[in-house]
Each structure stands twice: as structure tokens, then as C-alpha cells.
Amino acid sequence: MLGQDANKRRVRIVSSPENKVSLRRSESGLLLFKKAGEEEISVSVQLCFPWSGADRFLSLKNSDLKEVHLVSNLMDLDHDSRDALLKTMLEEQFVFEVIDVYDVREEFELRVWNVRTTFGDRDFQTPLNSWPRELGSGSLLVKDVNGDVYLIRDLKALSKKAQEKVWAFLDE
Amino acid sequence: MRLQREKHHLRMNEMLEHYYSQASQLPVEVRGQVEKAWNGQAVILYAYVDLNPQFKSQEQWLVLGAKEIAYVKRDGESYTFKYIDRKLITGVQEIPGLSYTRLVLLSGDIEAPHLVLRYSHRQRRAVSNIAFVLDQQAGNKSFNGETSNKVSSDEIYQESMLHSIKEAQASVAKNKFAVVFRLLSYLAPYKLSVAIGMGGALLMTAMALLPPFITGYLIDSVIKPFQTGAMSYEEAIQISIYTIAGLALTYIFREFFAYLRLSKMAYLGEYVAKDLRDHVYSHLQKLSLNYFSSKQTGSIISRVGSDTDRIWDFIAFGVVEVTTSIIMLIGLGSVLLYLDWRLGLLVVVPLPLILYMIFRHGEKMQSLFLRAWRKWSALTDCLSDTIPGIKVVKAFNREEYEVSRFEKRNDSVLGEFNRIHKAWTSFWPLLMLSIQAIILSVWIFGVPRVLSPGEEVTALSAGTFVSFVLYLTMFIQPIEIIGQMARMVNRATSSAHRVFEVLDTKPQIKDQGSAVKLEPVEGRVEFKQVSFSYDGVRQTLKAVSFDVSPGEMIGLVGPSGSGKTTLVNLLARFFDVGSGQILVDGVDLRDLESGHYRKQLGMVLQDPYLFHGTILENIRYAKPEASLDEIIQAAKAANAHDFIIKLPQAYDTMVGERGHTLSGGERQRLSIARAILVDPRILILDEATSAVDSETEKKIQDALDTLCKGRTVFAIAHRLSTLTAADRLLVMKDGRLVETGSHEELLRIEGGVYRKLFETQQRLSGSQFLRE
Ligand SMILES: Nc1ncnc2c1ncn2[C@@H]1O[C@H](COP(=O)(O)OP(=O)(O)O)[C@@H](O)[C@H]1O
Ligand SMILES: [Mg+2]
């Protein structure tokens, strides 16, 4: 019981305003995190809700992927820290954005996608029984066998032919 | 079979280009430059890096040498090189983002790391191989960087790149026909049967072509001359009888050939399916645990079951039906053109068009089927979610929500099926109508010619016309079959491919040709710098080293997820180490004959698995020759005898799936009896008592104490109190061995992991007392 109380107390300390945290970006593009009285460390950003509430609850993780700080609202940070965080966040949210779908076909146990992304033309594969995920707001998310994420941000913006290719994967 | 594999499959470098359109090896030019800079020392490992700091595509390579690493970047037509001394790298960070990973080679100065690289997850394994070596070196000054690679850097790179693809699909056939040919190669041992079956099919087709011809002959050469008085009644009857007898003969022969074909091919299909089932099952037993954890059980089961069944269907009927249909179409076309080329053309010319229409329709149906499949699997997901989780549904009172969720999905399944029905129900009548139109046009053009005076060139005899019309009706069936051919071939090839995939998967744990047998195993175990990763990315065990003497009892403790189970899995050689060595009695595990070694190894697992069978059979599983006497001894030693004889059928009670349900503690004691029976030299207990109440635990503990005497024991326990008998405790944390020593020694370490674990448990059991 004692342990739980101690935990509660610790939680309260972290979220108190006098416990100041700041963030900046190093030249090599790393996000550096400093908490008053502690050494500066490089952190990565994990969105707690990447698709359902991207601008709230950002977890800052150290190199062991343990959370060092939870930003529940970007407005809690000072201006410079927020800028640094946003910039890094945009990077870490990098996904392959699909702008055209040339072909989707089955090759035995794999579904092979042949697409054009903002990154360039790319082929990727998904298992046959794994389906793309429709995010509300007309986007489609596909995860390939390697864990890479492909996003069709706006299905309506695709060419008619591309829309036909993905039609089989849509709910309507 | 080896040769066949080569013939029908893409090689690794072809696969890389096929799937990723990515260089299948380090460009020769780059390798040359780098090795020159390293005075001819060879490249050890390399990886492709595909993202630049602006997250655009750029060709980069990370190359590991004995002393340095090279970072190579392509700018336009040329490459730029940057070399970093490996000794200057103080640490490595791999940070996964949503769809890319960032690798940072640290320099000690947080502001100025040596290198920051970004790459999509696709490249992660290959980069990780290099990061692992650098990380080991950074954490261990004496590390000399030598890796005992017997495999070339190209092979490691290709393996790493293709790992995920091969997990989804172990082999890649060049195309569908390669699969069909490979399948047909299974017919080779049955050449004679195939010849008879195919011959039967051909003759049957030929026979089918005779009756219309004979009918035409009867009309033109008998009925007409008789009606015009050119033939006498007697003569006409005579010929008619012969003709009808001929007709009867063709029917009899036709059915005889049909019998030949059907029976031969049906038996043949069964033999081939049986051969395949045997192959697949025995090969499955050889495969490593990896294979089974990467696939769903259902998918593996269906390969042995329904997939081989489909192959039977294809061989028994598909192959013959398609060939005979094609021959039938060709035969019909030729006969029609021979009978009358004008009318013949009328029929033959639109034929390709009709086949094309069927093909297009099939394509359209594919995408409809895909949608329906997806909706259907959403529906069954609903079931497989809520049926096992029904307690949760009820506990949170979500029945109505679940019902409405199911209904919604059910509705959309209905919608898709209706779409499918709409498509085919409107297509086939339309198609039939166009075929009827062709037949009709034959009448339109044919009838005036039959009625025209005999001396005109276009005149047509009534008999020819009748046989023509009879032939026309024979067109429909082969067209239908050929229309379904694409789907049938698709189904059969994907089944065959799944089966071949199992056969083509190589067991990862393989005995050397000169495998050693230890008789008996004494039980000395050494771990030397053992590292291991399940996925090739995250290291589950990191440089674990320790020594265990024969007969020692080792307690393995540590937080859950710290790698205890993994460690004993390696000891059992379910997996091979990633790097480092495990020695048993001084011999590397990989040099031991694994079957012989495992016989001297006993395992009692947390959730013991009982096969469907009697208690007797289950205890006897590892030692089928054990006498009933031995069985009772073992059961008594395991504290199982008492509960067994309470069952009405005692040792002959059926257990396992659909059998008598035993409690967790009872199953546990059966599995201990099973382990006692084989009298193992090395015993592994993985949380053998964590799932039972304290009274049962006491009984199991007693049983284990008997079992542990005189053997090397690795016991993993959640409750530290159960490990009091251990000679030494090894404490694991995050894949590292962090502390070793006796209970007392470990408690003396200020802020030690063990001490913390112990204190937490003390507190927990304390509060439990308060509650009780
Ligand atoms: N078959 C597997 N495939 C992938 N990862 C695994 C597998 N088994 C265990 N792991 C991971 O390896 C780590 C160590 O697991 P394990 O050895 O079971 O720990 P412990 O037995 O100490 O609780 C965990 O993070 C777990 O998620
Ligand atoms: Mg475990």
C-alpha cells in the first residue's frame, strides 16, 4: 500500500508546473530534452494516439524507449520547445504517402502493391489476410510485411483508375 | 527435388529485385573503393539506407569493416565516402518511428554524433546486424570485432532483406505455370495410369463426336433415298439396323472410356494427395519452432488437409476436364468447318470473342470476391473475438453492442453477396443468349440452303444440316468449363503453392554431418557471450555468460519479459544462438545430435500440453517402451497417482481436447511424471508451479524435489520462495544476466535487482496476509 502512495506522489510532482522541461533540436536533427536539474538527453516522440488524436498526448522516450515525460498538451510547452517538438514529430510521423496506385495483385501468399508515393515509386507486399485499415475522413492505411506504413490520405483525390484498384478494400 | 526447386523458383537476388526493385548487392564499384581504402580487408556486413535527412529517396550504404565503418552516399553519378573508426563509436541507438528507423552512432558528445541515418523498416534487419556488432564493441572494450561469419556479406544482406517476405511466403515460384508443372511432376511415378486416363479421355471425346455424324448419315444415305424411292424398304431397314447398332456401340465405348478416365484419374489424384500429405506432415515435424510461431495454426493445418484435397480435385478432374474441353472445342470447330465451311465460320469466328467475355467476367468477379472475402472475415473475426471473450462481454454488459456490431457486419456481407449474385445472374443468361443467337443464325442461313435446289453450289443436304445443329448443342459445355478454368487453376495453384512452401522451408535447426552423441550427458552447461533475437531486430538476450556444474540446481529469476524462457529455449535448442556459444559437457550444442540430446533433457512447462489420449499414453509419450510398473512409480513420484486413481477409469481416462478436463495442477503433475519417466540429465522447469494454488504447489514442489536430485536443473519461478533449494540464482533483466549468487549473497547487494524483487514480493505476501 505504501508503494502505491509513493507512486501517486511521484505522479503529482511530474505534472506540477514548477517542474520545468525544455526541448531543442541539435544540428544533426536530434531532439534534446532537458528537465531542470537533470542532464540533457536525446529523446524520441511517440504519439499516444497517432490516428485518433494526433496533437495530444505525446510521449517522450529515452534511448531505452522508456517514457521520460508525457506532454498532454502542446500548449504546456514554451514556444521554442514546441517548435522543436513539432518539427521532430512531423519527421517521426513519416509514412509513405501514396499518390497513385498502379496495381494491386495477388502472388500466392502475398498481395503485391505497386504504387507511387511522395518518396517515389515503390513496391510493397502485405499478407493476403491482412487488410488495409480505413481511417475515418476518407484515408486508407496499409501496413506491409516489414511494418512500413503507407497512407492514402484522401481517397477521393486519387485518379479514377487508382480508386478502382483499391475499391475492393473499402467499406463503401 | 533439389533440381526442381532451382528450376521453378526465383533465387534470392532475383527475389530482391522482384519485390523491392532494390540493388541485390553492394555495387561492385563501392565495394572496390571501400576495400581499397581498407588495404584489401574485406567487407564484413553492409546495409542499404534509403532515406536522406529530408526524407527523400537517396541511395546510401552503411558498410562494416574490421576496423572502420564506411558511410557511402550517392550524389548523382558518383559516390562520396565517409570513414569512421569503430573504436570511436561510444554507443548505438536505434529508434523506431512510425515507418522509419533512426540509427545514431554516438560519439560521447550529444551535440555531434558520428552519424545519424534514417531508413524505412524494410532495411531495418540489415542495418541492425551492423548496429549489433557496433553496440557489442561499444559495451565491451576487449571485443575484437571478429565475427565468425561463414556466410558471405551478400548472403546476409539478402537474407535480412527478404526475411519478412519469406515469413509470409517461404518460396517464390516464377509463375503459376511453374507451380502447375511442379504439381504435374508428382504424376511422374504413375505414367501408365496417366496415359490410360488421358487416352480414355481423348477416346471418349472422339466417341462423343460420332453420334451426330451417324445421324446425318442416316438421314442423307438412308431416309432420303428411301423417301425418293431410290432405296428399297428392306435395304433401308438393313442399313438402319446396322447404323443404330453402330450408334449403340459408340455409346457403350464412350461410357467405357469415361469409366477408364474417371477411375484412373480419381485413384491417381488420391495417391498424389496422399504422397503430398505424407511429405508435408513429416517435413512439418522437422521444421523449427520459428515456423510455427510465424504462422497461424489453422493455416498450417489446412495445408495438410484442405489444400491437398483441392489438389486431388484438380488432378482427378480439373486437368482432364480442361484438356478434353479444349480438344472438344478444337474437334468441334474442325468438324463444323469440314461439314460446311460457310456455316462453320459463322460459329468459329465469334468463339474467341465469347471466351474473352468469359475471361473479363472472371476478372470482374475476382474483385467482387475479394470484397466479399474481406467482409466475411470481418464477420468471422467478430465471432472469434467474442466467443472466447464471452466472459468479458457479459462482465461489461456489452451484449447489445456486440449483437448490433455483428448485425452491421452481417448486413454488409449480405450486400457483397448480393452484388456477386447480381453480377453473375445477369452475365450468364446474356452469354447464353449470344450463343443462342449464333445457333439461330445457323438456322437463318442454313434453312434456305437446305430448301434450295440440289444443283446449286451452296445447297446443303438435310443430313448435314441436322448433324450440324446437333454439334452446335455440344459447344456449350466445354465453353462453360473453359470459363471456369482460370478460377480452377488459380485455386489449385494457390493450394499447391502453400503445400510446396512447407516442403521448401528449410529446418533452421539442422544437425551437422558429424553430429556428436553424448552418452550420457553429464550436465555441465556453459553460456559464452550468448546473444539472441527472435526477430533479428530486438536483442532478447544480450551477451549472457555463465557456467553450471553437473548436478547443480540453478534458479532463474527476473521480471517477466526479461528473457528467462528464451534462455532455456536456447538450452533445449529450440532455436540456435544468434552469436556466442552454448556448450554442454564442453561440446557446442550445434555439434550435438539434437534428437539424442533432447532425449536426455526434461522440460516441465507452465501450461503443460496433454495430447488427446489416455493418461497412460500421455505419461508414456517420451518413453513408449516404459513398463506399467515404471509408469506408476513415476506418477507416484509426481504426486499424481492419488488423483489418477480417483478417476473411474484411472490411468485409462481420456484426456486432452474433448477428454476429461483436468485442473491446471493435475495436468502439471502429469507432465512432471512424464519428465520423471525419461530420467533426464538436464531438467528445465519453466514456471512449473505458478498457475496453481498454494496447497497444490506444495504437492508439486514435493514432486519436483524428488525429480531434481542428481541432475542439472534450471528452474524458473515467479515466487522466489519456491527457489530456496537452488544452489545458485541467476538474475535476468532486459535480456542481460545482471546478478548471480546465493539468496543471501544477492540480498546483500544494495539496490540490487534481486533484492528489489524480493522486497516487492515480501510486501505483496504481507498485504495478502492482511487481507486474509
Ligand atoms: N516467439 C517469440 N517471438 C518474438 N518475441 C518473443 C517470443 N517469445 C518471447 N519473445 C519476447 O522476448 C522477450 C523475453 O521473453 P521471455 O523469454 O518469454 O521472458 P520471460 O520468460 O523472462 O518472461 C519478451 O519481450 C517477449 O516479448
Ligand atoms: Mg517465461
Side-chain angles (χ1 to χ4, degrees), chain B residues 333-484:
Chain B
S334 328
V335 171
L336 289 192
L337 286 174
Y338 164 76
L339 281 179
D340 184 276
W341 64 270
R342 291 183 186 82
L343 285 184
L345 281 181
L346 204 60
V347 178
V348 174
V349 170
L351 207 56
L353 188 73
I354 286 178
L355 290 177
Y356 177 72
M357 273 166 62
I358 296 177
F359 170 77
R360 277 302 302 267
H361 171 70
E363 295 273 286
K364 186 176 161 208
M365 292 303 279
Q366 285 248 314
S367 104
L368 291 176
F369 279 131
L370 187 61
R371 253 178 95 99
W373 174 25
R374 194 168 61 89
K375 300 279 162 97
W376 181 255
S377 72
L379 187 73
T380 53
D381 280 352
C382 211
L383 287 173
S384 53
D385 255 9
T386 51
I387 303 298
I390 194 76
K391 256 190 186 166
V392 183
V393 177
K394 288 198 181 299
F396 290 98
N397 191 29
R398 293 290 272 172
E399 292 96 329
E400 267 174 41
Y401 163 78
E402 291 298 347
V403 168
S404 80
R405 190 162 74 129
F406 186 84
E407 281 174 356
K408 222 187 263 159
R409 294 187 181 188
N410 207 1
D411 279 345
S412 71
V413 166
L414 177 73
E416 289 312 321
F417 283 149
N418 283 345
R419 222 193 279 261
I420 287 176
H421 296 320
K422 189 173 158 212
W424 74 263
T425 49
S426 53
F427 175 77
W428 282 103
L430 264 179
L431 185 83
M432 284 305 147
L433 203 61
S434 30
I435 294 177
Q436 312 295 2
I438 294 173
I439 296 181
L440 220 57
S441 65
V442 168
W443 282 88
I444 292 171
F445 286 101
V447 173
R449 287 174 49 199
V450 176
L451 297 179
S452 72
E455 50 276 11
E456 264 181 51
V457 265
T458 55
L460 195 63
S461 75
T464 311
F465 186 68
V466 167
S467 35
F468 206 96
V469 171
L470 284 176
Y471 279 126
L472 279 183
T473 58
M474 291 168 63
F475 260 105
I476 294 174
Q477 204 200 7
I479 285 181
E480 268 175 338
I481 290 176
I482 289 176
Q484 288 159 9

Side-chain angles (χ1 to χ4, degrees), chain B residues 293 534-535 538 540 558-567 575 686-687 716:
Chain B
S293 53
Y534 285 104
D535 57 7
R538 212 165 47 94
T540 306
S560 79
S562 57
K564 305 179 296 285
T565 301
T566 307
L567 192 148
F575 306 96
D686 191 352
E687 314 225 356
I716 300 176

Side-chain angles (χ1 to χ4, degrees), chain A residues 82-101:
Chain A
R82 190 160 58 229
D83 266 5
L85 180 56
L86 275 174
K87 194 142 190 251
T88 311
M89 190 180 103
L90 277 181
E91 275 181 22
E92 305 215 344
Q93 285 304 102
F94 166 81
V95 293
F96 292 94
E97 255 192 59
V98 176
I99 45 184
D100 199 359
V101 181

